[in-house]
C-alpha cells in the first residue's frame, strides 16, 4: 500500500510539473507575440515619422535652393548692370576724346597756317634787312676813306693809337684803385676777422670735460668689498686680468677705485662690477662671462653714441664706419680734453664761422666733427701715421667730399690747403684747444707712455694680453699656454724687462709679471 501511494504521489507530481511547464510555455508564447506586435507597431510609427520629417526637410531644401537661386540671379543682374554702366562710361570718354582730338587737329591746322604766314613775313623782312645792311656797309666804308684822307692815317693805325691811350689810362686808374682797396683791406681785414672769431666763440658755449685716469665705483655697504675681493683675492685678480684695470680697495667708505689710463677699460670694469654686484654671484667664471658681455655692450653703445652725435649736429649720410669712429671718440682724450666733446665743439664753431663767411655750414660741421678721427686708430700700423693724414685717408675711403678730406688732412699743415674750409677747421680747432683749462699736456704724455709700455709686450710672440697698471709701475702680461711654456714664460718676463730698460725712459721701476694659465674645457652633451 505504501508503495502504491508513493507511486501515485510521484505520478501526480510529474503530471503537475508537466502541466505547469505546458502552461508556462503557453504564457511565454503569448507574451512574445504581444511584444512582437508592439515592436511592429512602434517600427511602423517610426517609419511614418521619418517619412514625414523627410518630406519637411525636402520642402525646406527646395525653398532654400529657390532663395539662393533668386539671390544669385539678382547679383548677376547687378554685375551685368555695372558692366553695362562702365562700358557706357568708357564709350562716353572715347567720344569726348575723339571730339577733343578733332578740336586739337583743327587748332593745329590754324596754327600751322599762321606759322607759314609768319615765315613768309620773316623772309621778306630778312631780305629787306640784308639790303639795308649792304647799304650801311657801303656808307661806312666811304666815311672811313674820307676820314683817312682828312687825317692822313689808316684806320688800323688810328685804332691802335686809341687803344694804347685807353690802355695806359685804364692801367693807371686800376693801379690806383687796387692800392686804395689793399690799404682799406689791411685796415679792416684784421678787425673783421677778430669780429667773426669773437662772435663765433660767444655763440658756442660748451662745458670743459677733462678726462682723468680714475673712476669711483660706489657700493651700498662695505660688506660688498669682501665679496669683490674673494677668497685670497681670487675675484679681484680675475677682474684685473679680464679688464686690465687696477682695482684699489682701501678704507674709503662705500667706494672702490678703478684706475686705468684707457677710459674704455675703466667703463667695461665699472659696468661689469655693477652687474656682478647686482647679480650677487661673484666668482672667476662669472667674472669672465660678464666682462665679455660688457665689452660687446660697450661696442654697441659706441655706435649709438656716434648716431646720436651726428643727429644732434644735423649731419646726414655719414658712412657707418665713420659713425663708429665718432662714437669711439667718447672714450679717447687729447691732452686731457675729451675727444668727442672737442670734436662737437669744433663742428659747432665751424658751422657758425662758415655761415658768417657765407660758406656751406653743413659741410663745415661735417669737417669739424671728423677732423680728429685719426686719433682713434684700430691697429699699431695706423698709430705710426699722423692722425690728420690717417683721418683724411679714412674720409676718402668712406666717400667724403674732397673739400672735407682736405680740411681734415690740412688742419695741422701736413698737406696744402686747397679750399676755404681747411683754414676754418684749423682756426676752430685752435679755438677749442686754447680755452683755459681745456687741455693738459702732462696727462697726454703719461697716457702715451703707458700705451708704449703695453706695445713693448705685444712685440713678443705668444703674448695674448698686456695691461699697464699701477700708474705704469707694473706690466701684467697674459700669454697663450699652448705657445709659451713655464720656462719660456720666465725668460719672456726677463726679455720684456730688458726691452723696457733699453728702449724706454720712465721714473722708478717697472715690474713685469707674466701669467700663464692652462685650461681644459670639455662639453657634456
Amino acid at each position: 500500500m505504501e508503495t502504491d501511494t508513493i507511486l501515485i504521489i510521484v505520478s501526480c507530481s510529474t503530471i503537475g510539473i508537466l502541466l505547469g511547464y505546458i502552461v508556462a510555455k503557453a504564457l511565454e508564447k503569448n507574451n512574445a507575440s504581444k511584444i512582437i506586435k508592439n515592436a511592429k507597431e512602434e517600427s511602423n510609427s517610426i517609419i511614418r515619422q521619418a517619412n514625414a520629417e523627410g518630406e519637411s526637410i525636402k520642402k525646406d531644401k527646395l525653398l532654400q535652393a529657390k532663395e539662393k537661386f533668386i539671390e544669385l540671379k539678382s547679383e548677376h543682374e547687378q554685375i551685368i548692370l555695372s558692366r553695362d554702366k562702365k562700358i557706357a562710361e568708357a564709350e562716353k570718354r572715347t567720344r569726348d576724346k575723339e571730339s577733343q582730338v578733332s578740336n586739337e587737329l583743327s587748332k593745329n591746322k590754324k596754327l600751322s597756317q599762321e606759322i607759314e604766314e609768319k615765315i613768309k613775313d620773316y623772309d621778306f623782312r630778312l631780305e629787306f634787312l640784308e639790303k639795308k645792311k649792304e647799304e650801311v656797309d657801303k656808307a661806312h666804308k666811304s666815311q672811313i676813306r674820307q676820314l683817312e684822307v682828312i687825317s692822313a692815317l689808316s684806320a688800323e693805325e688810328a685804332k691802335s693809337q686809341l687803344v694804347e691811350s685807353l690802355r695806359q689810362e685804364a692801367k693807371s686808374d686800376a693801379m690806383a684803385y687796387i692800392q686804395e682797396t689793399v690799404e682799406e683791406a689791411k685796415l679792416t681785414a684784421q678787425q673783421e676777422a677778430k669780429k667773426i672769431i669773437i662772435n663765433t666763440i660767444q655763440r658756442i658755449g660748451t662745458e670743459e670735460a677733462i678726462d682723468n685716469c680714475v673712476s669711483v665705483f660706489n657700493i651700498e655697504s662695505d660688506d660688498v668689498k669682501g665679496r669683490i675681493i674673494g677668497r685670497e683675492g681670487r675675484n679681484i685678480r680675475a677682474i684685473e686680468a679680464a679688464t686690465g684695470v687696477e682695482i684699489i680697495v682701501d678704507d674709503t667708505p662705500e667706494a672702490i677705485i678703478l684706475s686705468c689710463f684707457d677710459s674704455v677699460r675703466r667703463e667695461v670694469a665699472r659696468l661689469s662690477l655693477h652687474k656682478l654686484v647686482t647679480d650677487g654671484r661673484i666668482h672667476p667664471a662669472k667674472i669672465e662671462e660678464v666682462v665679455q658681455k660688457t665689452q660687446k655692450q660697450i661696442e654697441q653703445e659706441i655706435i649709438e653714441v656716434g648716431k646720436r652725435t651726428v643727429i644732434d649736429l644735423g649731419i646726414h649720410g655719414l658712412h657707418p664706419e665713420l659713425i663708429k669712429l665718432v662714437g669711439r671718440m667718447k672714450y679717447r682724450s687729447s691732452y686731457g680734453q675729451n675727444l668727442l666733446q672737442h670734436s662737437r665743439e669744433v663742428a659747432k664753431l665751424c658751422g657758425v664761422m662758415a655761415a658768417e663767411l657765407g660758406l656751406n655750414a653743413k659741410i663745415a660741421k661735417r669737417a669739424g666733427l671728423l677732423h680728429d678721427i685719426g686719433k682713434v686708430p684700430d691697429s699699431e700700423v695706423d698709430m705710426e701715421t699722423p692722425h690728420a693724414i690717417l683721418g683724411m685717408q679714412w674720409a676718402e675711403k668712406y666717400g667724403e667730399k674732397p673739400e672735407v678730406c682736405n680740411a681734415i688732412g690740412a688742419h695741422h699743415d701736413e698737406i696744402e690747403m686747397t679750399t676755404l674750409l681747411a683754414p676754418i677747421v684749423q682756426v676752430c680747432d685752435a679755438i677749442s684747444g686754447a680755452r683755459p683749462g681745456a687741455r693738459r699736456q702732462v696727462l697726454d704724455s703719461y697716457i702715451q707712455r703707458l700705451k708704449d709700455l703695453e706695445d713693448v709686450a705685444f712685440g713678443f710672440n705668444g703674448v695674448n694680453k698686456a695691461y699697464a697698471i699701477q700708474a705704469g709701475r707694473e706690466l701684467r702680461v697674459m700669454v697663450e699656454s699652448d705657445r709659451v711654456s713655464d720656462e719660456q714664460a720666465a725668460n719672456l718676463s726677463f726679455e720684456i724687462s730688458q726691452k723696457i730698460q733699453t728702449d724706454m725712459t720712465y721714473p722708478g721701476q717697472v715690474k713685469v709679471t707674466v701669467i700663464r694659465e692652462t685650461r681644459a674645457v670639455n662639453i657634456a652633451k
Side-chain angles (χ1 to χ4, degrees), residues 364-412:
K365 278 186 178 182
R366 201 181 192 96
L369 178 65
L370 299 177
H371 81 284
D372 268 348
I373 57 173
K375 289 186 177 181
V376 285
D378 290 325
S379 61
E380 296 179 16
V381 177
D382 293 334
M383 292 177 66
E384 298 175 358
T385 307
H387 76 273
I389 303 299
L390 181 61
M392 181 185 69
Q393 292 173 356
W394 282 346
E396 291 174 347
K397 178 181 178 182
Y398 298 121
E400 289 298 315
K401 294 183 178 180
E403 54 265 37
V404 175
C405 299
N406 178 257
I408 295 171
H411 78 277
H412 284 312

Side-chain angles (χ1 to χ4, degrees), residues 68-81:
K68 188 67 176 178
F69 175 75
I70 294 170
E71 183 180 354
L72 293 174
K73 183 179 179 182
S74 62
E75 290 179 357
H76 184 65
E77 290 176 352
Q78 289 178 359
I79 292 170
I80 291 172
L81 290 173

Side-chain angles (χ1 to χ4, degrees), residues 51-87:
N51 291 330
E53 290 177 358
E55 290 295 330
S56 63
I57 292 170
K58 183 178 178 182
K59 291 178 181 178
D60 292 338
K61 293 297 180 181
L62 288 173
L63 289 174
Q64 290 177 2
K66 289 180 180 179
E67 291 175 356
K68 188 67 176 178
F69 175 75
I70 294 170
E71 183 180 354
L72 293 174
K73 183 179 179 182
S74 62
E75 290 179 357
H76 184 65
E77 290 176 352
Q78 289 178 359
I79 292 170
I80 291 172
L81 290 173
S82 64
R83 287 181 180 176
D84 292 341
K85 186 177 179 181
K86 289 180 181 178
I87 291 169

Side-chain angles (χ1 to χ4, degrees), residues 347-452:
K348 293 177 182 178
L349 289 168
C350 289
V352 174
M353 193 172 289
E356 290 288 338
L357 295 173
L359 302 176
N360 192 326
K362 291 185 177 180
I363 295 179
K365 278 186 178 182
R366 201 181 192 96
L369 178 65
L370 299 177
H371 81 284
D372 268 348
I373 57 173
K375 289 186 177 181
V376 285
D378 290 325
S379 61
E380 296 179 16
V381 177
D382 293 334
M383 292 177 66
E384 298 175 358
T385 307
H387 76 273
I389 303 299
L390 181 61
M392 181 185 69
Q393 292 173 356
W394 282 346
E396 291 174 347
K397 178 181 178 182
Y398 298 121
E400 289 298 315
K401 294 183 178 180
E403 54 265 37
V404 175
C405 299
N406 178 257
I408 295 171
H411 78 277
H412 284 312
D413 294 324
E414 289 169 331
I415 63 171
E416 183 181 358
M417 296 182 181
T418 59
T419 63
L420 288 176
L421 189 60
I424 291 176
V425 173
Q426 187 180 50
V427 170
C428 294
D429 181 35
I431 292 172
S432 175
R435 291 184 183 275
R439 292 185 171 184
R440 294 188 296 188
Q441 181 76 28
V442 176
L443 178 62
D444 194 68
S445 61
Y446 161 73
I447 291 174
Q448 186 61 41
R449 181 170 66 85
L450 296 186
K451 288 182 178 179
D452 293 340

Side-chain angles (χ1 to χ4, degrees), residues 89-129:
E89 292 176 353
E91 291 177 351
K92 184 179 179 182
R93 287 196 298 271
T94 305
R95 288 194 298 271
D96 294 339
K97 287 182 180 179
E98 288 176 353
S99 63
Q100 289 178 1
V101 169
S102 61
N103 293 332
E104 292 293 333
L105 288 173
S106 61
K107 289 180 182 179
N108 290 334
K109 188 176 181 180
K110 291 179 181 179
L111 288 173
S112 62
Q113 292 176 355
E114 292 176 359
I115 290 170
E116 289 177 358
E117 292 176 357
K118 288 182 179 180
I119 289 172
K120 291 178 181 179
D121 187 26
Y122 290 152
D123 291 338
F124 175 74
R125 291 184 180 184
L126 185 61
E127 292 177 1
F128 180 75
L129 289 174

